[in-house]
Amino acid sequence: MVGMFTAPITAEAVKEKARALGADLVGIADGATLDAHPWDPADPRGPKDITEVDSGRVIVMSKRLSAGVSRIVSWSDRHKYYNDELTLTLLEETSLELVYWLEDQGYPAIAVPPTHVDPWRYQGDPRQHMTPLLSLPHAAVEAGLGTLGLNLQLITPEYGPRVMLAAVLASIPVECDRRMEQALCRGPKCGRCLKACPADAVRHWERDWPACDEYRSPHGFAKLTDHVERIIAAEGAEQKKTLIRSEASFYLWQSILRGAGAITGCRRCADVCPVGADYEAMLADALDAIPEDTPAKAERLSGMVAREAGGETGGRTAQERWIGKR
Ligand code: SF4
Ligand code: SF4
């Protein structure tokens, strides 16, 4: 039925529109390929789990994060959270505008934000790491935007990992982009993401996601429930009042108001990554030194290099399709 009203469409026209609406990078992936190669093979999910009928193509868009806040070394600076939240808002508007434009051409479309987790899996534990139906970093690789790094962050040739991602699903009859075959990540010999991580969550081509969540959502749902529980458990009205008026309440209120510090947070691993045309030009002078580095981290990285020389791959084999070839 919808087919009767469709206008001719090309991949270039879709990308041109996305760029005109504000995206910096755009690529198109095949929905069936993403379904056939689930980002988590142990728990396969993909575009068809969002919609079976309108997920033929996954248009992945990215917007670069502000270099000005990347240059702030503290992972917990609220200007970083706030600027990143604005970037996300802008990209969400771009996605919605693209949805309406595609629908004007006769193709039903759906916006998928990077924060889209699978709520039916929630087990009542606020610290449980929630995963998405469609991992946008993996979709971005399939759409030819970049490859995954040591901690599975997306790295692009233009902006390294310093991008926000969003996707639009639509069954449009257009050509897809090709995956990059060669890895952009320099591996444990570089290891700057591991050296800078305040949670020490970077593993050997893996990430300790629950540890990372504490920092990438520092005033999010887990912090809110902890704080409310502390207030309930406090003895007496005075103690409760002090907690209600505390700095923790203030940060939670600000995060609920804007999302800053709840859906945005730490991104030190992205800031210090030397890949990306922007790094030398905009960031190196402020970010080359890594104050979070320790001898223990250096030793762990040397161990990874040695193990790789001996043929071990850590988590690389399971994710090689998206990490790319050495
Ligand atoms: S987002 Fe922060 S806590 Fe998470 S891996 Fe990156 S540096 Fe570590
Ligand atoms: S900082 Fe180095 S090791 Fe980490 S993702 Fe970037 S290139 Fe790879």
Side-chain angles (χ1 to χ4, degrees):
M1 192 65 186
V2 169
M4 289 170 65
F5 304 105
T6 53
I9 196 164
T10 64
E12 204 33 62
V14 172
K15 291 183 198 176
E16 202 180 305
K17 187 69 190 175
R19 283 191 287 263
L21 290 169
D24 287 322
L25 307 173
V26 196
I28 301 177
D30 179 36
T33 302
L34 276 155
D35 285 323
H37 299 278
W39 63 275
D40 180 2
D43 183 9
R45 284 162 294 159
K48 73 168 172 13
D49 296 299
I50 299 173
T51 168
E52 296 245 10
V53 286
D54 295 313
S55 56
R57 295 289 181 269
V58 181
I59 305 159
V60 185
M61 295 176 287
S62 77
K63 186 80 197 164
R64 72 173 176 83
L65 298 170
S66 145
V69 286
S70 297
R71 292 166 64 84
I72 296 174
V73 172
S74 166
W75 72 266
S76 57
D77 186 281
R78 287 196 68 83
H79 297 93
K80 295 180 89 153
Y81 306 164
Y82 171 65
N83 275 260
D84 290 1
E85 196 277 321
L86 292 183
T87 304
L88 176 60
T89 301
L90 194 148
L91 198 52
E92 283 173 344
E93 281 171 15
T94 298
S95 307
L96 186 63
E97 293 273 13
L98 190 68
V99 163
Y100 285 133
W101 179 79
L102 286 164
E103 295 193 344
D104 286 344
Q105 320 297 311
Y107 302 96
I110 294 169
V112 183
T115 49
H116 186 84
V117 294
D118 187 354
W120 292 278
R121 302 205 166 200
Y122 181 61
Q123 301 288 319
D125 174 8
R127 296 201 180 275
Q128 177 190 342
H129 174 63
M130 298 291 289
T131 54
L133 291 166
L134 172 63
S135 160
L136 294 195
H138 290 80
V141 175
E142 297 289 351
L145 296 194
T147 62
L148 301 190
L150 187 64
N151 65 348
L152 306 184
Q153 63 184 344
L154 175 76
I155 310 176
T156 67
E158 295 84 356
Y159 310 111
R162 293 165 290 277
V163 291
M164 189 71 76
L165 292 170
V168 168
L169 310 184
S171 291
I172 42 175
V174 301
E175 261 184 59
C176 297
D177 289 288
R178 292 174 68 85
R179 236 173 345 116
M180 289 178 194
E181 296 287 333
Q182 225 43 52
L184 293 170
C185 178
R186 300 173 191 180
K189 277 189 185 142
C190 161
R192 284 173 58 81
C193 49
L194 185 152
K195 292 175 186 171
C197 177
D200 217 356
V202 181
R203 299 287 179 265
H204 195 188
W205 304 108
E206 284 174 316
R207 190 183 309 200
D208 178 343
W209 287 103
C212 174
D213 287 345
E214 297 241 344
Y215 290 76
R216 62 185 191 137
S217 181
H219 307 293
F221 184 56
K223 289 289 160 61
L224 176 69
T225 53
D226 277 358
H227 190 55
V228 172
E229 282 169 19
R230 263 199 307 276
I231 294 169
I232 293 168
E235 280 185 22
E238 263 322 297
Q239 264 195 42
K240 286 186 199 296
K241 196 159 92 180
T242 305
L243 280 170
I244 288 167
R245 294 179 172 188
S246 65
E247 193 180 349
S249 292
F250 176 76
Y251 279 128
L252 288 163
W253 169 73
Q254 278 209 326
S255 298
I256 290 165
L257 202 65
R258 296 281 333 190
I263 52 169
T264 55
C266 178
R267 60 169 169 98
R268 269 292 279 168
C269 49
D271 297 345
V272 299
C273 178
V275 179
D278 62 334
Y279 187 79
E280 282 304 321
M282 306 281 278
L283 306 172
D285 63 313
L287 296 175
D288 266 359
I290 299 180
E292 300 94 333
D293 196 10
T294 63
K297 286 178 171 179
E299 202 181 314
R300 261 217 332 278
L301 281 168
S302 307
M304 287 180 197
V305 173
R307 285 201 299 282
E308 288 197 358
E312 279 184 47
T313 60
R316 183 169 192 139
T317 305
Q319 291 286 316
E320 186 126 47
R321 177 181 178 87
W322 302 287
I323 291 168
K325 296 193 181 83
R326 274 174 257 232

